[in-house]
Amino acid sequence: MYITYHAAVRFLERVFGYTTFDSKQIENARILLKRDLNQLQLRYDGRYVLPSFPEFLGVFKSHSLVTVLAKR
């Protein structure tokens, strides 16, 4: 599964509330998301709840995490 740069940035902004971050934090967010989503079996493109952050959704397309949204 591939985690896009955009998804890592949105993860930091929406989950942790960061407004500024560096490239190391973005890479760490990608690693954290990859580990968290490792066991997730995707059958279709769409929105799935992030396992460790159940109040947030991950949007997936072609086995890639595209962005992170708050669940409302």
Side-chain angles (χ1 to χ4, degrees):
M1 176 178 307
Y2 182 72
I3 310 299
T4 64
Y5 176 86
H6 177 79
V9 169
R10 292 297 177 251
F11 178 75
L12 290 172
E13 289 175 346
R14 294 179 176 153
V15 175
F16 294 112
Y18 291 175
T19 55
T20 58
F21 32 81
D22 60 17
S23 60
K24 183 67 174 170
Q25 289 172 309
I26 294 170
E27 185 58 31
N28 287 339
R30 290 177 80 183
I31 292 168
L32 185 139
L33 285 167
K34 190 167 183 89
R35 287 181 185 164
D36 190 41
L37 301 172
N38 189 28
Q39 300 299 321
L40 188 64
Q41 297 294 324
L42 301 176
R43 295 183 184 192
Y44 306 103
D45 292 348
R47 298 175 180 191
Y48 295 88
V49 175
L50 298 178
S52 295
F53 304 94
E55 61 278 352
F56 294 93
L57 299 170
V59 178
F60 294 87
K61 288 189 180 180
S62 302
H63 295 286
S64 297
L65 178 63
V66 179
T67 193
V68 175
L69 303 171
K71 205 162 89 172
R72 297 189 194 245

